[in-house]
């Protein structure tokens, strides 16, 4: 009677340890096979799925072992039976009623596992669909992502309906639940519904696409992903920023890559008065034309903006086909401009002001004069006072 419980406990420990090792092995295998591929994003979902399933299995092993050991002894057999009855009634008792059907915790758990597996399956299919179909079709990255998002949401929606019908749920019984959800979306989930609707508009209207270099507010970066609720932007500092979809429709967005990526860059500068504007234009345009990132057609140009307080104000206009590298291009050109102006002895001015002091006699009262003389005597500590 004592040896058998010990054997069961040792077996439960071994089985629990084996399940833990299995989870870690599956996680390492997935990461190794999917690392560096576009399907790497599904690793976290599968890892979570395996963790939940194996954790439930480990808990079930220990519960079964404890109940079995309790049945071996007459004193604890009654308690074991009570615990078994409570667990059975708890998991089998209906907690949700839709129409004429009632559903227990076990039923809902099975449905949740099926829906989670459906989502993982659809994501895996979408990754293969993009690799094997969309990439071969010759579509750009933005079009591929738009088609993939539409297909993904469609498959999840259809698959959910099929699963619910196979599960035995009468879809007509969801009318009241759908009405309650719509009220909740309208009152408590306004922002989520707004962002979700904005995401659909972005996918279908495509004002921005994956791979576009955009500017929204103070953010500059490349669109990496357009999701149902938010969009991921990778900044020039290689930092990922999650932006709600509604922001792209509520505020102005500059899309440097929309339609034609060729863009014009403005570089304001000033030279000192006395410089020859024609000579300045010649040397700056020649300098800008030498940079490999500056397009020859349209060619660079220089605008004479006007007469500033301390300088002749110009603006150099250049064209580039890589707007996402405009900040590096501006820096290179300013280095080049500074070097060229120094070589041609064209002065870069600094703010200047003419200060004119008016001469004249300052009138003061006799009382003020006496007070100043007394103050000077005290400051000299007995020295010779100045005369006025």
């Amino acid at each position: 009677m004592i040896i058998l419980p010990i054997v069961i406990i040792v077996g439960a420990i071994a089985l629990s340890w084996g399940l833990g090792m299995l989870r870690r092995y599956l996680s390492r295998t997935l990461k190794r096979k999917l690392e560096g591929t576009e399907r790497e994003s599904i690793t976290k979902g599968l890892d979570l799925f395996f963790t939940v399933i194996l954790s439930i299995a480990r808990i079930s092993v220990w519960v079964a072992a404890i109940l079995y050991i309790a049945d071996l002894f007459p004193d604890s057999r009654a308690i074991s039976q009570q615990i078994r009855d409570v667990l059975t009634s708890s998991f089998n008792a209906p907690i949700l009623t839709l129409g004429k059907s009632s559903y227990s915790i076990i039923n809902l758990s099975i449905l949740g596992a099926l829906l989670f597996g459906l989502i993982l399956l659809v994501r895996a299919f979408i990754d293969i669909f993009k690799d094997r179909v969309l990439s071969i079709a010759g579509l750009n990255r933005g079009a591929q992502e738009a088609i993939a998002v539409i297909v993904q949401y469609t498959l999840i929606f259809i698959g959910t309906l099929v699963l619910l019908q196979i599960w035995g749920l009468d879809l007509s019984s969801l009318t009241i639940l759908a009405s309650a959800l719509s009220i909740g979306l309208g009152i408590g989930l306004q922002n989520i519904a707004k962002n979700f609707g904005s995401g659909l508009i972005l996918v279908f209207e495509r004002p921005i696409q994956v791979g576009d270099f955009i500017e929204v507010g103070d953010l500059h970066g490349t669109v990496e992903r357009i999701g149902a609720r938010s969009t991921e932007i990778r900044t020039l500092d290689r930092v990922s920023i999650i932006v709600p979809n509604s922001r792209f429709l509520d505020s102005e967005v500059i899309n440097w890559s929309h339609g034609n990526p060729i863009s014009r860059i403005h570089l304001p500068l000033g030279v000192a008065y006395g410089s020859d504007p024609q000579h300045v234009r010649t040397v700056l345009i020649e300098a800008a034309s030498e940079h490999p990132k500056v397009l020859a057609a349209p060619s660079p140009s220089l605008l004479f903006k006007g007469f500033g307080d301390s300088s002749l104000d110009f603006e150099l206009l250049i064209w580039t086909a890589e707007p996402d590298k405009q900040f590096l291009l501006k820096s290179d050109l300013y280095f080049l401009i500074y070097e060229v102006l120094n070589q041609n002895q064209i002065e870069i001015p600094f703010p200047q002001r003419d200060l004119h002091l008016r001469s004249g006699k300052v009138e003061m009262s006799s009382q003020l004069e006496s007070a100043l003389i007394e103050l000077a005597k005290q400051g000299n500590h007995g020295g010779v006072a100045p005369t006025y």
Side-chain angles (χ1 to χ4, degrees):
M1 294 297 293
I2 297 177
I3 296 176
L4 183 57
I6 294 176
V7 172
I8 293 174
I9 292 175
V10 172
I13 293 175
L15 186 56
S16 178
W17 178 81
L19 290 173
M21 291 294 295
L22 177 61
R23 185 192 68 80
R24 288 188 288 271
Y25 171 76
L26 292 175
S27 178
R28 289 195 300 266
T29 303
L30 282 173
K31 290 181 180 178
R32 184 172 60 254
K33 290 186 176 181
L34 300 180
E35 186 176 6
T37 65
E38 294 187 359
R39 294 189 294 272
E40 187 177 1
S41 58
I42 69 175
T43 303
K44 293 183 179 179
L46 290 174
D47 191 34
L48 177 62
F49 178 76
F50 290 141
T51 301
V52 172
I53 295 299
L54 295 178
S55 297
I56 294 175
R58 295 172 72 178
I59 294 174
S60 300
V61 167
W62 281 106
V63 171
I66 292 173
L67 293 178
Y68 185 83
I69 292 174
D71 287 339
L72 296 177
F73 302 96
D75 295 336
S76 59
R77 189 172 300 156
I79 299 176
S80 173
Q81 186 61 39
Q82 291 179 0
I83 294 175
R84 190 180 291 106
D85 294 338
V86 169
L87 292 176
T88 302
S89 60
S90 298
F91 284 102
N92 291 324
I95 61 173
L96 179 64
T97 302
L98 294 175
K100 298 180 180 180
S101 302
S102 299
Y103 304 96
S104 63
I105 295 178
I106 295 179
N107 299 133
L108 296 178
S109 300
I110 294 174
L111 178 61
L114 291 175
L115 292 176
F116 187 75
L118 171 66
I119 294 174
L120 293 179
L121 183 63
V122 169
R123 293 182 64 179
F125 170 78
I126 290 298
D127 290 334
I128 297 175
F129 179 66
K130 288 193 294 185
D131 291 341
R132 305 294 177 84
V133 179
L134 296 181
S135 60
I136 298 177
L139 301 174
N140 58 43
R141 186 181 175 189
Q144 292 181 26
E145 289 293 332
I147 295 174
V149 169
I150 295 173
V151 173
Q152 179 179 352
Y153 291 160
T154 302
L155 291 178
I156 291 177
F157 178 74
I158 296 175
T160 301
L161 294 181
V162 172
L163 281 180
L164 291 177
Q165 290 183 343
I166 294 176
W167 192 56
L169 178 64
D170 185 8
L171 297 181
S172 62
S173 62
L174 295 177
T175 306
I176 299 177
L177 180 60
S179 301
L181 288 176
S182 63
I183 296 175
L185 290 174
I187 298 176
L189 303 177
Q190 294 182 9
N191 290 333
I192 296 178
K194 181 179 180 181
N195 290 324
F196 182 77
S198 300
L200 294 178
I201 294 175
L202 293 177
V203 170
F204 286 100
E205 189 175 320
R206 298 172 63 188
I208 62 173
Q209 303 179 47
V210 175
D212 287 352
F213 182 74
I214 65 172
E215 178 180 347
V216 51
D218 297 331
L219 300 178
H220 299 78
T222 303
V223 178
E224 293 291 328
R225 179 187 61 84
I226 300 177
R229 188 194 64 84
S230 60
T231 296
E232 179 183 351
I233 297 178
R234 182 68 59 86
T235 66
L236 300 177
D237 298 327
R238 311 303 296 171
V239 177
S240 295
I241 299 180
I242 309 301
V243 181
N245 287 331
S246 60
R247 184 172 178 182
F248 297 101
L249 302 181
D250 294 340
S251 59
E252 295 180 351
V253 178
I254 299 176
N255 190 343
W256 294 86
S257 306
H258 187 65
N260 186 1
I262 296 178
S263 306
R264 188 167 69 175
I265 309 297
H266 298 246
L267 292 92
L269 66 143
V271 299
Y273 277 96
S275 303
D276 183 5
Q278 295 296 337
H279 183 53
V280 172
R281 179 168 62 178
T282 301
V283 297
L284 290 182
I285 291 178
E286 289 179 357
S289 301
E290 294 176 359
H291 197 284
K293 298 295 184 181
V294 175
L295 297 180
S299 60
S301 60
L302 186 71
L303 298 181
F304 196 156
K305 300 291 291 185
F307 302 94
D309 294 337
S310 307
S311 64
L312 301 176
D313 296 332
F314 295 90
E315 190 170 56
L316 180 63
L317 305 179
I318 58 96
W319 295 83
T320 180
E322 301 180 43
D324 56 327
K325 299 179 181 178
Q326 58 179 290
F327 298 100
L328 295 176
L329 178 57
K330 285 183 178 180
S331 176
D332 291 344
L333 289 175
Y334 274 126
F335 275 114
L336 188 59
I337 289 171
Y338 184 82
E339 181 180 355
V340 168
L341 293 180
N342 283 337
Q343 289 176 356
N344 289 270
Q345 298 180 350
I346 299 175
E347 182 181 354
I348 301 175
F350 52 87
Q352 302 179 21
R353 295 293 185 271
D354 291 334
L355 181 61
H356 177 63
L357 298 178
R358 298 181 60 184
S359 60
K361 183 178 180 181
V362 179
E363 299 290 342
M364 66 177 65
S365 62
S366 59
Q367 293 85 356
L368 179 58
E369 184 177 357
S370 301
L372 291 175
I373 294 174
E374 185 65 27
L375 183 61
K377 289 180 179 180
Q378 293 178 1
N380 289 331
H381 298 288
V384 178
T387 57
Y388 296 90

